Structures are given as C-alpha cells and as structure tokens.
C-alpha cells in the first residue's frame, strides 16, 4: 500500500515538473536575439533571417532580432534583460560574461580558426624573436584572431608584445599590402581568412612569397550566449535544437556570403572554462579585469 502510494506520488511529481517545464517554454513566446558584429535590423534580417526561420521551425519558439550598434550595447541590453540571446566572438564573450553573468550555450565550431605571424619569405625574420624592435601590423584592437591571439603568440615565443615591438592596427587588406611593401616586418592574422581573402586573391604574389613563423592552436569558438535571466529549461531546449538540427541551421547560416567563415562548422556545447585561453590573451595586452571592451 505504502509502496503504491509512493509510486503514485512520484508519478504526480514527474507530471507537475513536466507541466512546469512546459509552462516555462510556453512563456518564452518570443526570444530576443542579437549578433554583435552585425549592425542594423536590415543587415540582421538579410544575413541571419534564414537562421531565425530555421530555429523557429525546429524549436516551435519565436525569435525576434534585437539590433545592437556595438559590443557594449549588447552587454547593456543583456544586463537590462532587453535581449535574451547573443551571438558573439570569443574575445567579446569574456567581457560580456564578466559584465552580465550571461553564460555560453552553443559554440560555433569553425574549422581552421587560428592565428599566425606572417613575414615575407625573403626577409631575415625566421623566428618570432627576430621581430624584436620591428613594426608588426594587427587587425582591430580586441579582435580575437587578428589582435589578441597574435599578441599571445608572440609572448609565447619570448617577445613582450607591449614593449618589444611597434604595433599598428589596420584592416586585413592594408596589413597585407603593408607587408609586401616592407612598411611592416610582420602581420598578425586570422590565418584562414588571410589566405582565402588576401594572399590567394593577390595575383601579384605567390603563396611561396610568404613565410609563417608562428601558428597558434585552434581558437575557442564563436558562441551563442544566453542571459542569466532566461530560464535554464529554455536554454536546454535551444541547445538541443542546435545539436539535433545542426545540418539545417548551418545551411541557413551559410546561405549568406557574409557568413562564409562558418563553412564546414559544427555546433558543440561549450562551458565557461573553454574561454580561459582568451582571458590569458587579454593578459598579454595588460587587460586582466575584463571590465570593458578594448578598442571601443
């Protein structure tokens, strides 16, 4: 009798928990989504509209774009509970996590996402240490693969990046041209992006005209973050949708050429400690509090 009563009670609890989770998901009628490197609603709809449609079809939830002008705006919106989900890069994740307690949900596993230090093959620079006292060009301040990673890479090889070299920041194409002209001794780049967008498209040079003197390992992934105010049941559902329907969602992301960097990617579940390597990179440029975005 007691055993039967306990069984009925446990079954009742299970039903109640299931109903509670269902109610939580039902209440999440509209999840607001921001992408930190896409400004304006029109661009969001063009570049990420197919993704929104794929997510809605797979999850049964509704998503609404929330445009932000910069990374700080995304963090402020999360803190004010005006946005629920944010797609951002590894460097941005570290700061947003510190400012808002938002958590990583899904990593965008990009193939060959690494940085490199590149010099001209005919130059005298054979090792990173040879760059001491020289000028090195990086991408935007705060870029994971074009600034933070190359700075850490130099530090790993014994260069003090804040004092042993002269640093300039510019676009990838201008980096490439400056290196060819000899205006800089080396460039710190997202290797895959530089190869496909600059080196291989430049008919004035051959791939053998360049030498890579240092490469990093694969970098942590771009990430979908979820606000601390969003119920964990909602986060778990979204996470499972990305994993279970990744073929459809990846196809939707890569329909737009602006998202070509995601070709061949896979979605993986990530946790905060996966981004400790990025925190170390911030240390290489003297930023250890993660209280603000560098370069903004």
């Amino acid at each position: 009798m007691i055993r039967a009563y306990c069984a009925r009670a446990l079954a009742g609890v299970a039903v109640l928990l299931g109903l509670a989770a269902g109610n939580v998901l039902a209440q999440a009628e509209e999840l607001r989504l921001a992408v930190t490197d896409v400004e304006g609603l029109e661009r969001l709809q063009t570049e990420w509209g197919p993704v929104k449609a794929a997510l809605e079809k797979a999850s049964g939830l509704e998503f609404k774009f929330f445009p932000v002008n910069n990374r700080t705006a995304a963090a402020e919106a999360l803190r004010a509970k005006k946005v629920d989900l944010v797609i951002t890069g590894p460097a941005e994740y570290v700061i947003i996590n510190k400012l808002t307690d938002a958590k990583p949900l899904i990593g965008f596993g990009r193939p060959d996402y690494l940085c490199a230090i590149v010099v001209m093959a005919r130059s005298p620079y054979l090792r990173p240490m040879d760059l001491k006292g020289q000028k090195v060009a990086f991408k935007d301040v705060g870029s994971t693969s074009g600034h933070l990673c190359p700075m850490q890479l130099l530090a790993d090889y014994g260069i003090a990046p804040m004092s042993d070299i002269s640093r300039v920041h510019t676009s990838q194409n201008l980096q490439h041209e400056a290196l060819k002209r000899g205006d800089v001794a080396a460039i710190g780049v997202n290797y895959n992006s530089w190869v496909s967008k600059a080196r291989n498209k430049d008919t004035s040079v051959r791939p053998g005209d360049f030498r890579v003197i240092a490469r990093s390992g694969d970098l942590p992934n771009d990430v979908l973050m979820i606000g601390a105010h969003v119920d964990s049941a909602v986060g778990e559902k979204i996470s499972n949708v990305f994993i279970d329907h990744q073929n459809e969602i990846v196809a939707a992301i890569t329909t737009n050429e602006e998202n070509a960097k995601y070709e061949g990617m896979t979605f993986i579940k990530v946790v905060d400690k996966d981004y400790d390597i990025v925190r170390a990179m911030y240390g290489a440029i003297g930023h250890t509090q993660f209280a603000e975005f560098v370069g903004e």
Side-chain angles (χ1 to χ4, degrees):
M1 179 78 72
I2 293 175
R3 190 175 297 160
Y5 173 78
C6 290
R8 288 196 298 272
L10 288 172
V13 170
V15 169
L16 288 173
L17 289 173
L19 289 173
N23 287 337
V24 167
L25 295 174
Q27 290 168 10
E29 293 179 356
E30 191 175 73
L31 292 162
R32 297 152 297 181
L33 172 67
V35 183
T36 56
D37 64 349
V38 180
E39 292 186 22
L41 182 58
E42 185 176 349
R43 275 192 63 196
L44 271 173
Q45 291 171 335
T46 299
E47 297 176 23
W48 291 87
V51 184
K52 175 178 175 292
L55 286 173
E56 289 178 338
K57 181 179 179 181
S59 68
L61 301 171
E62 292 185 18
F63 294 82
K64 181 180 180 180
F65 287 130
F66 188 95
V68 291
N69 293 329
N70 51 46
R71 302 164 294 181
T72 299
E76 290 173 350
L78 271 171
R79 192 157 45 192
K81 303 179 183 179
K82 292 180 179 179
V83 68
D84 306 304
L85 301 161
V86 173
I87 296 172
T88 195
E92 291 81 4
Y93 164 77
V94 167
I95 306 300
I96 294 174
N97 168 259
K98 179 66 179 289
L99 295 176
T100 71
D101 288 327
K103 304 300 181 186
L105 197 58
I106 284 291
F108 289 43
R110 293 162 54 181
D112 303 319
Y113 182 38
L114 56 107
C115 77
I117 305 297
V118 181
V119 301
M120 298 304 294
R122 293 184 177 87
S123 76
Y125 312 114
L126 302 176
R127 306 168 303 158
M129 278 299 292
D130 296 334
L131 295 174
K132 191 168 185 178
Q134 302 301 316
K135 184 180 292 186
V136 181
F138 302 90
K139 282 194 67 182
D140 299 337
V141 174
S143 165
T144 307
S145 58
H147 175 217
L148 299 181
C149 177
M151 293 283 275
Q152 180 66 58
L153 197 51
L154 289 171
D156 291 342
Y157 281 92
I159 287 281
M162 298 302 290
S163 58
D164 285 347
I165 59 170
S166 176
R167 305 173 309 280
V168 294
H169 294 273
T170 187
S171 69
Q172 186 178 82
N173 285 338
L174 292 179
Q175 276 182 297
H176 180 79
E177 294 300 323
L179 180 61
K180 287 196 305 177
R181 288 194 306 268
D183 294 342
V184 297
I187 56 175
V189 294
N190 175 320
Y191 182 70
N192 193 37
S193 176
W194 171 72
V195 167
S196 62
K197 293 182 179 179
R199 191 195 73 179
N200 287 358
K201 290 186 176 181
D202 185 352
T203 58
S204 72
V205 291
R206 297 186 176 117
D209 288 332
F210 302 92
R211 177 191 299 129
V212 177
I213 59 173
R215 290 179 176 87
S216 73
D218 283 359
L219 292 167
N221 303 296
D222 287 0
V223 61
L224 174 68
M225 302 184 69
I226 187 165
H229 62 280
V230 181
D231 192 275
S232 60
V234 177
E236 185 65 20
K237 180 177 178 67
I238 295 170
S239 176
N240 289 335
V241 165
F242 271 87
I243 299 296
D244 296 341
H245 298 270
Q246 65 176 304
N247 288 342
E248 305 97 282
I249 299 171
V250 169
I253 290 174
T254 54
T255 54
N256 191 286
E257 63 180 21
E258 293 294 330
N259 291 328
K261 64 184 180 181
Y262 293 121
E263 291 283 353
M265 79 170 178
T266 188
F267 294 118
I268 59 173
K269 293 189 177 183
V270 290
V271 294
D272 179 72
K273 69 178 181 180
D274 295 337
Y275 295 85
D276 284 348
I277 187 173
V278 182
R279 294 182 173 97
M281 291 175 189
Y282 273 110
I285 64 169
H287 288 262
T288 57
Q289 299 302 311
F290 319 123
E292 60 183 3
F293 294 101
V294 294
E296 189 170 294

